[in-house]
Amino acid sequence: MTVRRDLQEPARCRPDLLIGREELFTAARDHLASGGSVLLHGPAGIGKSTVLRALAEKYGAGMRTVLRCSATESESHLPFLALADLLGLALEEVSPRLPAAQRTALESAITGRGESSLQRDGLALRLAVLSTLRALAVRGPVLVVADDLQWLDPASAELLGFAARRLGGTPVQLLCAVRTEGQEGQEYDRHLRACPPDTLPVRLGPLTRAQVARLLDHRGHGGLSRSTVREIHRTSGGNPLFAQELGRALADSPTPPRPGEPLPVPTSLRALVLSRLDMLSAGARHTLLVASAGARPTPALLHAAGRTDAEAECAQAAELGLLATGPEAPAVRFAHPLISAALYAEAPAQERRAAHAALSTAASDPIERARHLALAATGTDPEVAARLADAAALARDRGAPSVAAQLGLLAARHTPAGSAPGPDERRLQAAEDAITAGEVDLARDIAREVLTRTTVPAERVRAWIVVIDTAGHTMAEVDAVFPQALADAGDDPRLLALVHYQLAWRALIVEGDFTEAREAAAHAADLAARGADRRTELLALAFQAQTETLMGHPEAPRTIKRALREPQDPRVACHHNGAGSARFRWLVMGDQLAEARATVTGLLREVRRRGSVESEVHFLRGLAETELRSGHCGRALELAREGLRLARDSGIGETASAMLTSLAEASGGDVDRALVLAREAVAHAEEDGDQMYLSRALGALGYAQLVAGDPAGAVRSLRRVRRLELDLGITDPARGRWHGDLAEALVRTGETAEARDVIDTSREHALRLGRESVLAVLDRAEALVRAALGDQEAALARLTSAQDRLGKLGYGLEEARAAFALAQLRARRADGGPRRTAAYDEATRLFRRCRALPWLRQVDEVLTAPEPGPAEPAVPDALAGLAAMERQVAALVMEGATNREIAARLFVSVKTVEATLTRVYRKLGIRSRVDIVRLAAARRAK
């Protein structure tokens, strides 16, 4: 292999450096593998060199020759330097095969021991480069790796382009990277024309917020709060280099930025983005500083702030590329968010305060005026603090809790000690706003800070509650908090109510004890009523109602009515743990899907207006669940994916959202993705010690396994759910609706006795609670049991009835599943041909109506499989120790049937056959299909 000396051992590319580039990397690698070339392009710092190195390492390992060059701006004036990097080490190998004129010109250009130039030796040099690459390719494939094409000296660029355009049919490929600011720019077109015709251009765009968070975590900056990561993403514009530098600067900074201030920008980035700043006039520079301090700067705002020549000064900045131009006028928009942050960071503190002081009178919005007033002031000032607190309340009412939290922290900073309300009280309000906004890290940090100072019991208990709330479903991690919170609460019923409400959640999540949770919630409601704390009373009643609903407790309807009784608190009415949520859950479990959809849609609309992220995540799941129950699988999948993105972005409700998205994927999307999400949810729930969501996650995993054709896996997962819910005291089968799936999986694995036990036990509870849809699903499962035992007529009758009832109740997907099972039974009785195909028409129609793609694939698999034979095979004695399904599969193998033929014969999926054979091999101590036949023959011979 021929390489440049200092690049002979390229550093192995760490996986974290390709975060957010996986799909681009795969596309580029596949194109290289097909024989094409690749041109990576994008702005500075976007990660082109990283992807280039990773591709060169991955793909170059199979090439005989790898030629490399990496140009720099400072060397771009030196002729033939890149050519020397590329071909210097190859010259000795190929020069004997070059014509004398070409060899002389190339040696002169590369070594510099002559006066070679494109003007003097143009044709000879061009042909020499082309001949060299062809000569190398004769001995094996060649990969040319060129980074930073924009800095290639013109002579080398011309020669490389000449050769690249003429290498058709030669095993020489180019892997290049070039800096571009726009795909349609002239520079980009020029570089693309210099590449071979089969070149794939790959543009690297900005990273998402979640990808920036992963990158920072891998770089050792994982301790940053989500709000800080969000600001890093905004300021960096998703540029990975900028994001890493900002993260490093924050980690190195002894003091974090004040609320409302831009992030500190390291000197390295300031130099990168502000190189043209010195070309501005002093007035234009000051105008841009005022614009960088404003939230939504416009020429009118700059005029009001005293910048009388704002238009001309902005035009000057736009010509230098500091401001963007386009349809956004009259807004003043920086070409990159980092320019604004760097300008602000570069300015002296006195000039920043002056800019904020000007904007505090110029801005029309009261929230903006208050923010600028705070950033212009120094020290404590009760008037400034009061204006900021009022602005925070206004932001809260507008549904901007994140802004309210920032303003609340500014208010606390300017509040003198001994004031009423005091600085810590305002900090706690900011922490509660941060929780509403989904910024749990910020909220927890504020609460911990307050606890180090305050001795006021009400403030301490309030801070402890913030710490507990930010733990979410990892409440086991804050167990030590509860005794301290109870001690601080003393005998104050208002404070005790707050703590006991959280203890109710702990009993449910950590202990998995519904009875204790219900009692703790009822006690919290009584304490809150004694303390005249209506908000906590309503939350406790709603929690009690939800617990009773899941338990199948007869008091549930009465408790819901108590929770809905006036007077209501608007903060609770649409809260994800409020009475509205409890009523929604009751409606869903009671088969009132239309009313449930209307209820949760209204709740979702209201929490979005209020900016409550946790409640939004919760109600997105609720609406997705309702659509899934109704058989609107496509819509459910869209909502579930939206909720999962928001959950991961905010770090709230990730386990529950992964679980629900798994159900939606298995019903209307990608079954493999469903399995990944379900296993992720199970792992998180186990790690968090969350018994309640562990059972839900296992239920989703079992369903996905059933759809994927792995009934044995489904049985394992759903058996765990059955044991967990028995231990938890959950008796209402409408809570998880896994019972029919477990029974069906048991039938497929030949364990009909256990399937019947599951059905009988679940039916008893469903009858007691009036769960009509659950009863219909159980009837569908019982029909499968009867069919497996040979009672075909009874099975057909039950399936027909179940399908009809599920359709009337509005459970579209369950109706379609009943039609599918009915079709399989009818097809088994048909003579084959058109009659067999027609049996599946209704199931196909219903699955299409639901957009249930995985189920449609199952129908297609059955229809494309060979038609079954007329009789079941005899089961030899050698297989007597196997389960019923295993014996049938093994016997068909002995007949010579393929896996697809067996699947068609037994009305299961090919994956089920494969899984069953794996169990057969293990039980019989053999390794293959042939061994089954040999083993049976050997036993018969005895």
Side-chain angles (χ1 to χ4, degrees):
M1 180 181 290
T2 304
V3 293
R4 178 179 168 183
R5 286 189 178 87
D6 62 346
L7 292 172
Q8 287 184 8
E9 296 294 336
R12 296 190 62 82
C13 184
R14 289 168 45 193
D16 62 279
L17 296 182
L18 292 178
I19 286 172
R21 308 301 188 200
E22 296 85 356
E23 291 186 10
L24 294 177
F25 177 85
T26 300
R29 183 197 61 202
D30 291 347
H31 190 73
L32 287 169
S34 70
S37 297
V38 170
L39 175 65
L40 305 170
H41 66 105
I46 205 67
K48 303 180 297 297
S49 297
T50 298
V51 176
L52 181 100
R53 286 193 295 270
L55 285 167
E57 179 182 351
K58 184 74 174 178
Y59 186 69
M63 309 295 283
R64 181 187 180 275
T65 304
V66 178
L67 307 173
R68 301 173 185 265
C69 71
S70 182
T72 63
E73 185 177 11
S74 61
E75 299 171 340
S76 61
H77 66 286
L78 299 174
F80 304 121
L81 183 63
L83 184 67
D85 286 342
L86 282 171
L87 302 181
L89 295 178
L91 188 59
E92 182 178 349
E93 178 183 347
V94 300
S95 61
R97 285 175 280 166
L98 297 179
Q102 293 181 24
R103 180 170 63 251
T104 300
L106 186 59
E107 288 178 349
S108 176
I110 288 177
T111 63
R113 293 195 297 269
E115 298 180 359
S116 183
S117 68
L118 278 179
Q119 289 75 24
R120 174 180 160 184
D121 304 309
L123 181 58
L125 271 174
R126 288 177 174 87
L127 293 175
V129 173
L130 181 59
S131 298
T132 299
L133 293 173
R134 284 174 174 167
L136 291 170
V138 168
R139 300 191 177 184
V142 177
L143 180 66
V144 177
V145 182
D147 198 4
D148 283 318
L149 284 183
Q150 73 277 2
W151 303 133
L152 252 65
D153 61 275
S156 296
E158 165 63 25
L159 293 171
L160 185 60
F162 175 87
R165 292 189 294 271
R166 291 164 175 79
L167 286 170
T170 306
V172 178
Q173 296 170 260
L174 269 66
L175 172 59
C176 306
V178 63
R179 180 186 300 180
T180 58
E181 295 301 330
Q183 185 167 340
E184 306 304 325
Q186 292 182 353
E187 285 297 302
Y188 164 77
D189 291 337
R190 179 172 65 83
H191 289 298
L192 187 59
R193 286 195 301 272
C195 293
D198 60 356
T199 298
L200 173 70
V202 177
R203 179 166 180 79
L204 277 68
L207 300 181
T208 66
R209 189 190 306 176
Q211 290 164 349
V212 166
R214 286 173 55 202
L215 180 64
L216 292 170
D217 184 53
H218 279 288
R219 285 301 196 177
H221 305 314
L224 298 172
S225 69
R226 290 182 182 273
S227 56
T228 301
V229 171
R230 185 177 62 242
E231 188 62 21
I232 288 176
H233 178 259
R234 187 197 66 78
T235 303
S236 68
N239 185 296
L241 173 64
F242 298 171
Q244 290 177 63
E245 288 298 301
L246 289 168
R248 182 184 58 78
L250 279 169
D252 294 343
S253 175
T255 56
R258 296 168 63 190
E261 284 187 344
L263 297 177
V265 180
T267 305
S268 58
L269 290 187
R270 293 187 204 181
L272 180 65
V273 300
L274 298 181
S275 56
R276 289 155 288 185
L277 195 62
D278 291 339
M279 300 174 68
L280 285 174
S281 65
R285 184 166 180 160
H286 191 75
T287 294
L288 288 194
L289 173 61
V290 175
S292 72
R296 293 174 298 276
T298 63
L301 177 66
L302 296 175
H303 273 291
R307 307 309 304 161
T308 54
D309 295 328
E311 285 88 350
E313 290 163 345
C314 286
Q316 181 187 359
E319 288 179 4
L320 293 173
L322 294 168
L323 292 180
T325 57
E328 290 78 14
V332 176
R333 189 169 63 88
F334 285 90
H336 192 284
L338 190 62
I339 297 175
S340 173
L343 268 166
Y344 189 90
E346 188 83 1
Q350 185 176 355
E351 290 186 15
R352 293 187 214 168
R353 287 196 296 271
H356 285 297
L359 289 168
S360 69
T361 58
S364 58
D365 185 84
I367 293 176
E368 274 299 291
R369 288 200 302 270
R371 184 179 77 89
H372 289 302
L373 180 64
L375 294 173
T378 57
T380 60
D381 186 325
E383 183 180 348
V384 171
R387 285 184 59 181
L388 285 164
D390 291 342
L394 180 58
R396 198 176 303 121
D397 291 341
R398 287 182 180 178
S402 179
V403 175
Q406 286 191 5
L407 293 169
L409 287 175
L410 285 171
R413 185 186 295 271
H414 291 286
T415 300
S419 300
D424 285 333
E425 188 172 349
R426 283 179 166 150
R427 287 188 182 93
L428 289 170
Q429 179 61 64
E432 290 162 358
D433 286 330
I435 290 177
T436 302
E439 299 177 10
V440 292
D441 296 333
L442 174 61
R444 181 170 49 248
D445 290 345
I446 296 170
R448 294 288 188 189
E449 180 188 353
V450 169
L451 285 166
T452 61
R453 285 196 307 267
T454 187
T455 58
V456 179
E459 290 179 351
R460 291 189 62 80
V461 171
R462 196 172 167 189
W464 288 127
I465 298 303
V466 170
V467 172
I468 296 169
D469 274 342
T470 56
H473 283 261
T474 61
M475 293 186 82
E477 297 179 3
V478 293
D479 257 355
V481 165
F482 289 98
Q484 300 177 71
L486 285 169
D488 284 329
D491 57 1
D492 187 327
R494 289 177 64 92
L495 301 181
L496 286 170
L498 293 170
V499 182
H500 280 278
Y501 173 66
Q502 297 293 342
L503 283 169
W505 277 104
R506 183 192 175 280
L508 184 62
I509 293 173
V510 179
E511 302 297 335
D513 190 330
F514 273 69
T515 301
E516 182 183 344
R518 174 181 177 269
E519 291 172 356
H523 184 46
D526 290 340
L527 286 167
R530 283 166 46 197
D533 181 358
R534 183 60 173 164
R535 179 177 185 274
T536 303
E537 182 186 7
L538 289 170
L539 285 170
L541 286 170
F543 179 77
Q544 181 184 343
Q546 294 218 43
T547 306
E548 290 171 348
T549 298
L550 296 175
M551 296 171 67
H553 197 285
E555 286 294 315
R558 189 176 294 107
T559 307
I560 290 176
K561 288 181 181 178
R562 286 179 62 197
L564 292 169
R565 196 174 297 156
E566 295 294 340
Q568 287 290 315
D569 185 322
R571 294 174 298 170
V572 177
C574 63
H575 194 275
H576 56 280
N577 291 325
S581 181
R583 181 172 178 271
F584 161 72
R585 180 55 49 196
W586 175 260
L587 291 169
V588 168
M589 295 176 70
D591 299 328
Q592 301 178 60
L593 295 180
E595 192 172 353
R597 181 186 293 107
T599 298
V600 74
T601 300
L603 290 167
L604 181 59
R605 185 186 307 115
E606 180 60 19
V607 298
R608 280 174 166 166
R609 187 188 71 79
R610 291 176 175 270
S612 176
V613 174
E614 185 172 6
S615 293
E616 182 178 356
V617 170
H618 181 88
F619 291 130
L620 274 170
R621 285 199 307 270
L623 184 54
E625 180 186 354
T626 307
E627 297 293 0
L628 197 57
R629 301 280 175 232
S630 303
H632 305 151
C633 298
R635 175 63 175 152
L637 186 57
E638 291 173 3
L639 290 164
R641 287 173 174 171
E642 179 185 355
L644 181 60
R645 284 193 298 269
L646 183 57
R648 285 182 167 162
D649 194 32
S650 62
I652 295 174
E654 291 182 79
T655 301
S657 296
M659 175 274 299
L660 197 281
T661 309
S662 172
L663 290 172
E665 291 281 2
S667 298
D670 185 327
V671 180
D672 290 335
R673 175 69 174 153
L675 289 166
V676 169
L677 287 169
R679 291 188 175 108
E680 174 190 322
V682 169
H684 282 319
E686 289 178 330
E687 182 181 345
D688 296 342
D690 186 344
Q691 298 299 302
M692 183 172 65
Y693 267 111
L694 177 58
S695 67
R696 296 294 304 274
L698 284 167
L701 177 57
Y703 174 66
Q705 288 168 322
L706 184 65
V707 178
D710 179 16
V715 167
R716 288 193 298 271
S717 298
L718 297 177
R719 275 176 178 162
R720 284 188 66 191
V721 179
R722 192 182 189 194
R723 290 193 297 270
L724 275 169
E725 293 205 352
L726 183 64
D727 293 340
L728 289 169
I730 298 173
T731 60
D732 193 335
R735 186 248 183 180
R737 297 178 181 267
W738 49 266
H739 313 74
D741 293 334
L742 175 55
E744 181 174 338
L746 287 165
V747 170
R748 292 193 191 183
T749 56
E751 298 165 274
T752 53
E754 185 180 349
R756 174 154 278 171
D757 178 64
V758 170
I759 293 167
D760 291 343
T761 304
S762 306
R763 181 178 283 126
E764 180 182 348
H765 293 300
L767 283 168
R768 174 175 59 85
L769 297 166
R771 303 307 193 206
E772 292 297 327
S773 63
V774 174
L775 289 168
V777 169
L778 292 173
D779 278 354
R780 185 187 70 207
E782 183 172 346
L784 299 178
V785 173
R786 291 184 180 237
L789 296 175
D791 192 352
Q792 303 295 317
E793 294 300 328
L796 286 169
R798 279 198 178 264
L799 279 173
T800 303
S801 171
Q803 180 185 342
D804 181 62
R805 286 150 56 203
L806 287 166
K808 289 177 179 176
L809 288 168
Y811 284 79
L813 181 57
E814 299 294 355
E815 177 192 5
R817 288 179 64 182
F820 186 29
L822 194 58
Q824 289 175 300
L825 282 182
R826 286 173 173 163
R828 186 178 299 175
R829 299 173 54 159
D831 296 330
R835 287 181 60 193
R836 176 173 176 264
T837 303
Y840 291 94
D841 288 348
E842 177 71 356
T844 300
R845 182 184 68 81
L846 291 173
F847 281 137
R848 281 179 179 162
R849 185 180 70 182
C850 295
R851 288 180 60 189
L853 302 182
W855 289 101
L856 275 171
R857 283 190 285 271
Q858 288 197 27
V859 176
D860 290 341
E861 191 174 287
V862 171
L863 290 175
T864 56
E867 293 185 11
E872 294 292 328
V875 180
D877 293 339
L879 307 181
L882 302 177
M885 173 69 77
E886 295 164 352
R887 288 199 306 273
Q888 293 176 47
V889 170
L892 288 168
V893 168
M894 293 175 62
E895 286 189 353
T898 66
N899 286 1
R900 181 173 288 278
E901 290 168 343
I902 296 171
R905 190 82 168 265
L906 300 180
F907 299 97
V908 296
S909 70
V910 174
K911 286 188 177 181
T912 298
V913 175
E914 293 169 350
T916 304
L917 278 174
T918 300
R919 294 197 304 276
V920 170
Y921 300 155
R922 185 174 63 250
K923 289 184 177 181
L924 298 181
I926 59 179
R927 296 184 178 181
S928 69
R929 299 164 63 93
V930 175
D931 290 336
I932 295 177
V933 180
R934 288 174 178 168
L935 180 62
R939 292 188 179 179
R940 281 198 299 268
K942 292 180 181 179

